Amino acid sequence: MKRVHLIGVCGTGMGSLAGLLADAGYDVRGSDEAVYPPMSTMLLDKGIRVLEGYRADHLDDRPDLVVIGNIATKSNPEAVAAIERGIPYASMPQAIGRLFLEGRHSIVVAGTHGKTTTAGLMAWTLTSGGRDPSFLVGGVLKNFGRSFGLGRGDEFVIEGDEYETSFFDKGPKFLHYRPSSTTTPRCTPTSSP
């Protein structure tokens, strides 16, 4: 499998996955209705082709895998085409689990607040310790200048949110991330003077 098409590629998570896929050597392209910076710029810089709008003919050259983002409904023309044509498809978390977490030490940061910060700190701590982790978080990390990284180390740090993954996979995203280690950020209330 080398050619991957992402439906909703300009979303924060999907764009980050597209970047990971490109860095891993996949031929990546995607489609979206809202194509604008900064994600469109990052995708362009990575050489990822972005097709405007959702149309069945975007799949005419038959990619090896279609990743269907949670923005897509079951009536999305590209999702319908993938299913009808028998093109293998997956949700974003399923794709991450299958393509990047197999055989790695998955560190999943879960919780209601502080996931991006905690995951970013974990990725930076591991990097500073010479571990060279991979990571995918929901924001651009100042120390890395991006929201994802494909490292050579065994660890993969990922933000595990509780939102459903797609119209065909209603479970929370973190269920697909195969945690070897988990952490939940704790917020300590401050008292007033």
Side-chain angles (χ1 to χ4, degrees):
M1 180 180 67
K2 290 303 287 177
R3 298 168 59 244
V4 183
H5 178 87
L6 288 83
I7 301 173
V9 72
C10 289
T12 303
M14 291 288 277
S16 297
L17 173 57
L20 275 176
L21 289 164
D23 286 353
Y26 291 90
D27 177 10
V28 186
R29 62 151 194 246
S31 59
D32 212 314
E33 288 183 331
V35 179
Y36 52 85
M39 192 54 72
S40 61
T41 305
M42 186 278 293
L43 294 169
L44 180 66
D45 290 347
K46 285 275 180 200
I48 297 169
R49 191 169 136 214
V50 178
L51 304 166
E52 191 115 21
Y54 302 119
R55 299 187 349 225
D57 65 354
H58 288 166
L59 303 182
D60 283 353
D61 64 347
R62 194 171 175 87
D64 300 315
L65 175 68
V66 175
V67 180
I68 302 174
N70 65 359
I71 190 91
T73 65
K74 61 184 173 183
S75 62
N76 177 288
E78 293 178 21
V80 170
I83 293 166
E84 287 178 350
R85 297 175 190 182
I87 300 171
Y89 64 93
S91 67
M92 183 189 85
Q94 288 171 332
I96 292 168
R98 291 177 194 163
L99 302 176
F100 292 102
L101 299 181
E102 188 69 38
R104 291 194 163 194
H105 183 95
S106 177
I107 302 170
V108 181
V109 180
T112 56
H113 292 55
K115 293 184 294 292
T116 301
T117 301
T118 303
L121 288 168
M122 178 65 71
W124 183 247
T125 300
L126 289 166
T127 300
S128 296
R131 303 292 297 178
D132 196 20
S134 297
F135 63 90
L136 191 147
V137 299
V140 175
L141 303 175
K142 186 174 183 180
N143 290 342
F144 296 99
R146 61 192 185 283
S147 58
F148 65 91
L150 185 62
R152 292 182 301 266
D154 290 334
E155 296 87 5
F156 194 113
V157 179
I158 190 162
E159 189 174 323
D161 69 50
E162 69 282 5
Y163 300 109
E164 66 182 37
T165 63
S166 68
F167 68 85
F168 57 89
D169 183 6
K170 295 295 191 183
K173 292 177 185 163
F174 62 75
L175 292 179
H176 295 285
Y177 295 154
R178 308 169 187 185
S180 304
S181 300
T182 60
T183 183
T184 303
R186 298 197 188 274
C187 296
T188 306
T190 57
S191 58
S192 304

